[in-house]
Amino acid sequence: MKLSFTTLGCPDWSFEKILDEARRMGFPAIEIRGLEGKMLADEIEFFKPGRQQDTKRMLKAHGVEMCAFGSSINFHDPEKLPAMLEEGRRAIDVCQNMGIPHIRVFGDRIPEGRTADEAAQLAADGIRQLCAYTDGADVDILLEVHGNFNTIEVMKSLLEKLDDPHFGILWDIEHSDKIYGDNFLPFYETVKPRLRHVHVKDHVRMPDGTFKLCHVGDGDIPIAAIVKKLIEDGFDGYFSLEWEKKWHPELPDCDTEFPFYHDFMENCLK
């Protein structure tokens, strides 16, 4: 089982500290979701021309890889498509140069007045163009299960429209849990053929129908069952802790959550 954490969980750490802590806690990889205040791939200082080789040497010295880059690119607004594609092309160039194999994007929402199938078509059209740009590179485009793209209906429609080797699915198990709860198997079977990467976090299903993020293992998501099923099926991607400290500063600090997550996930297989 391969474990990583996203830098979303440690927004105040320097890049050097992130690498130091990843090595100390036994994480072989990190997922980049912002570094030292910069969120766009081409604005991160460590990824700019003139810094790239030094950055690669730092990673190698720590024995840590970068398994994915989390962008905010989304495809639910046709008017923003040119800007999203431009951001995507820049991110692909950076990730190719830095050896980052996956870029996360969103379909995200079903726009008002559109059907689920039409929303899936918008996402498919945008992703297809990014896949065309990345052809020949070692970078894949992963759509995250997020927003309205968390149902079998939408995901099945999307998968029917995209058949590109550079396209994959990033399964955020918290977002599909909002719809399917403990009955995760039908959703998993839908995305399984394209599953490349998994985001792990936990929440409590509140009586009023809302969800409250919590310490991994203290919530209602059947994380252990999901992990066991994926490993049994031969999943060889990363299980990446998405501790959303940047968006939810009230959450406990990563100093305790990251090492706990590492041990928790190892125990899921016992």
Side-chain angles (χ1 to χ4, degrees):
M1 178 168 54
K2 298 189 294 188
L3 300 177
S4 63
F5 61 81
T6 83
T7 57
L8 192 70
C10 49
D12 297 328
W13 284 2
S14 68
F15 186 44
E16 185 172 3
K17 182 172 182 178
I18 290 170
L19 297 181
D20 286 343
E21 292 299 310
R23 176 173 59 184
R24 183 181 68 82
M25 293 184 287
F27 286 92
I30 57 175
E31 178 179 344
I32 305 299
R33 179 62 171 130
L35 278 179
E36 299 190 0
K38 301 296 184 181
M39 304 300 284
L40 298 177
D42 58 324
E43 292 184 355
I44 293 173
E45 290 296 325
F46 298 94
F47 296 167
K48 288 183 176 180
R51 298 291 301 275
Q52 295 174 358
Q53 302 312 313
D54 288 338
T55 300
K56 290 178 182 179
R57 280 187 283 270
M58 287 176 63
L59 288 155
K60 185 176 181 180
H62 285 81
V64 176
E65 298 180 348
M66 297 184 290
C67 61
F69 177 80
S71 80
S72 296
I73 296 165
N74 60 77
F75 297 109
H76 56 254
D77 186 347
E79 292 185 1
K80 294 182 179 179
L81 179 60
M84 294 293 100
L85 293 176
E86 178 59 26
E87 181 181 335
R89 288 189 287 265
R90 293 197 302 267
I92 289 168
D93 288 344
V94 170
C95 289
Q96 174 68 10
N97 289 336
M98 297 307 302
I100 303 175
H102 299 140
I103 296 175
R104 183 276 307 278
V105 302
F106 298 116
D108 212 34
R109 300 203 302 270
I110 299 175
E112 185 176 354
R114 291 186 181 265
T115 66
D117 188 68
E118 288 170 337
Q121 187 66 62
L122 289 174
D125 290 344
I127 293 169
R128 187 178 296 107
Q129 292 183 68
L130 290 185
C131 286
Y133 183 73
T134 199
D135 190 37
D138 299 315
V139 180
D140 292 337
I141 308 300
L142 306 188
L143 179 128
E144 179 171 337
V145 173
H146 187 277
N148 295 135
F149 279 67
N150 66 341
T151 68
I152 292 173
E153 177 189 15
V154 176
M155 298 307 293
K156 185 176 180 181
S157 178
L158 176 71
L159 291 166
E160 288 172 348
K161 302 176 193 310
L162 273 172
D163 185 22
D164 191 292
H166 283 290
F167 164 64
I169 295 296
L170 188 166
W171 181 18
D172 185 314
I173 63 174
E174 194 247 350
H175 284 277
S176 58
D177 187 86
K178 293 176 179 178
I179 302 296
Y180 299 107
D182 292 342
N183 188 28
F184 67 87
L185 280 173
F187 183 86
Y188 163 61
E189 292 296 338
T190 300
V191 300
K192 176 182 173 181
R194 289 285 183 172
L195 185 58
R196 307 277 182 85
H197 192 74
V198 175
H199 275 176
V200 178
K201 51 183 177 283
D202 206 352
H203 64 208
V204 176
R205 303 168 193 153
M206 305 299 285
D208 62 358
T210 60
F211 305 89
K212 183 178 180 180
L213 292 172
C214 66
H215 185 63
V216 172
D218 285 353
D220 296 314
I221 300 175
I223 297 173
I226 292 171
V227 170
K228 289 178 181 177
K229 177 60 177 172
L230 267 63
I231 295 299
E232 288 173 1
D233 288 353
F235 175 71
D236 64 353
Y238 277 91
F239 292 93
S240 192
L241 173 65
E242 190 180 36
W243 191 245
E244 297 186 335
K245 183 69 173 179
K246 183 173 179 64
W247 312 138
H248 298 278
E250 74 279 4
L251 290 173
D253 288 341
C254 51
D255 306 73
T256 56
E257 295 307 309
F258 286 2
F260 177 85
Y261 171 75
H262 187 283
D263 294 342
F264 173 85
M265 292 295 283
E266 293 288 345
N267 288 330
C268 283
L269 300 182
K270 294 181 180 179

